[in-house]
Amino acid sequence: MIPLEKVKDIVDRHNTLEKELSSTNIDPKLFAKKSKEYASLGEIISIAKDYLNFDNEKKDLEQILSDKNNEREIIDLAEKDLKEIKFKKNHYEEKLKIYLLPKDL
């Protein structure tokens, strides 16, 4: 399991770079470097955000499953969605692990 703090750092860094690049006060010498880093983060940012949202989605679906007043169709859909997001979480985790590997090898 990947520490959520590391994933949050990726999202925070992406947001910081986005603000810096949209600012008119950025040093032209740093612009290219920051643009490259921003593009690099752009490849993984949606996965990082989805990974962070997993727990909330899981809780919502489990709440649907535990509510006995829901119709069978709703429960079936929630079970299907829960299986799907668990699969996606594993897939996202693998992608994030690769991204977080040291680049200086």
Side-chain angles (χ1 to χ4, degrees):
M1 179 163 210
I2 297 173
L4 289 179
E5 206 53 44
K6 285 189 177 227
V7 181
K8 287 178 185 175
D9 288 346
I10 292 170
V11 174
D12 290 344
R13 182 66 184 150
H14 183 266
N15 292 337
T16 300
L17 286 169
E18 190 170 57
K19 288 175 187 170
E20 289 175 358
L21 290 170
S22 65
S23 169
T24 57
N25 300 332
I26 190 166
D27 181 356
K29 294 177 184 176
L30 293 175
F31 185 81
K33 180 181 177 186
K34 289 185 181 211
S35 291
K36 186 176 179 181
E37 183 181 359
Y38 180 78
S40 169
L41 288 173
E43 298 170 7
I44 198 77
I45 195 68
S46 65
I47 289 172
K49 287 179 179 179
D50 286 345
Y51 186 82
L52 290 175
N53 289 329
F54 171 78
D55 286 331
N56 291 334
E57 287 184 58
K58 182 180 171 196
K59 285 177 192 172
D60 291 344
L61 291 169
E62 287 174 342
Q63 186 176 3
I64 291 169
L65 293 174
S66 67
D67 185 352
K68 302 301 178 198
N69 294 326
N70 284 325
E71 295 178 16
R72 186 73 219 158
E73 262 182 50
I74 301 295
I75 291 172
D76 289 344
L77 284 172
E79 286 173 345
K80 180 182 174 215
D81 287 348
L82 187 58
K83 286 179 188 174
E84 187 176 309
I85 67 165
K86 285 180 180 179
F87 175 79
K88 282 183 180 179
K89 181 186 181 203
N90 291 335
H91 176 72
Y92 294 160
E93 225 171 60
E94 292 303 314
K95 292 250 187 203
L96 287 165
K97 282 179 188 175
I98 291 169
Y99 181 82
L100 290 169
L101 285 173
K103 310 284 190 270
D104 299 306
L105 296 177

